Amino acid sequence: MSPAATLVEALEPLRSDPAHAAVLLDIDGTLAPIVRHATDAHVPEATRTLLIEISKRYGLVGCVSGRQAATARQIVAIGSIAYIGNHGGELLRPGATRPELDPELTAWSERVREFARRVYTPEHQRMRVRGEDKQTIAAFHWRGAPDEHAAAALVREIADRAQQEGFVVHWGRKVLEVRPPVMFDKGLGVSALLAGAENSSNGSPLSSAVYVGDDSTDIDAFRALRALLDSGDLQFAVCAAVSSEETPTELIEQADLIIDGQGGVRGLLEALL
């Protein structure tokens, strides 16, 4: 059986009733290639065109990101779909102008920013460690630094200070995130988006969903879909991992489907049409 045929078969419950299905995708490493500088990220036009067609057929389409929701929308450049930003801390509904923010997270914004200002030094700049202000999260990137090993060592010092001061640290692909000690993740964001989501034409609830991701933070989204299956809120769900040299082993182990890079993501989107 060809890979395309395998995908079509695996996604048949969604394909057969798209009006009652949700299509949820991570952005960086899934829809958009990983790039040296985060500001250079973009979704290839061929992928974006497929996503636009899917948004016309399916009951709910959403992109899930560690970036702020507004930034995620700028990268994908489709206003008619939903965006979950800051790993579940923000929800930007289709057509909305402002994201819905978790109030507990928002209360920590200035403390996170003050910490980032205090620990980011000229030495970090010299080593090409890049700071990113995501309001409720402070991120420090070292991908592409001239000496990535030395830059990572400096970032580990930031992580130690953050933990000493009561923040939570999260390590991603050559990035450290300093977060408030508040419970949030992509799974909680997905659950919030799907809660009460309905087919717009007849008000009936969604019954199936697919989630596609490439990093350890996407495991929480996998767990959320499976919890909705267990509770009966969904009748069918598929968790797909995008494979690359940097894909965490745990994500691969937790996936129902494994697809190969951004080309595989486009193949999955084509199979949904």
Side-chain angles (χ1 to χ4, degrees), residues 73-219:
R73 178 185 277 179
Q74 289 174 353
I75 292 171
V76 179
I78 303 174
S80 60
I81 65 176
Y83 295 87
I84 296 170
N86 271 353
H87 300 289
E90 299 180 350
L91 174 55
L92 187 58
R93 297 187 186 276
T97 57
R98 293 185 178 181
E100 300 167 21
L101 305 177
D102 183 304
E104 193 175 2
L105 281 175
T106 302
W108 277 82
S109 293
E110 187 49 42
R111 291 176 65 179
V112 171
R113 285 173 157 173
E114 189 277 331
F115 173 83
R117 288 192 294 266
R118 184 158 37 87
V119 300
Y120 187 66
T121 68
E123 177 67 4
H124 294 102
Q125 292 179 317
R126 187 181 71 80
M127 296 298 294
R128 300 294 191 271
V129 173
R130 301 179 302 281
E132 180 184 3
D133 177 6
K134 299 198 286 185
Q135 294 187 350
T136 56
I137 298 174
F140 301 90
H141 303 261
W142 67 92
R143 182 182 295 276
D147 186 341
E148 288 192 346
H149 180 75
L154 283 176
V155 173
R156 282 194 292 272
E157 294 177 3
I158 293 177
D160 291 341
R161 290 186 62 179
Q163 290 176 311
Q164 291 168 7
E165 296 188 26
F167 294 100
V168 173
V169 301
H170 181 272
W171 297 95
R173 292 181 172 184
K174 298 183 181 180
V175 59
L176 165 72
E177 290 186 342
V178 176
R179 304 177 175 184
V182 177
M183 182 61 185
F184 66 101
D185 59 43
K186 288 183 178 179
L188 293 175
V190 165
S191 296
L193 177 61
L194 292 178
E198 298 176 339
N199 170 276
S200 58
S201 63
N202 59 22
S204 56
L206 301 175
S207 58
S208 61
V210 58
Y211 185 94
V212 189
D214 75 309
D215 208 348
S216 57
T217 54
D218 297 306
I219 294 172

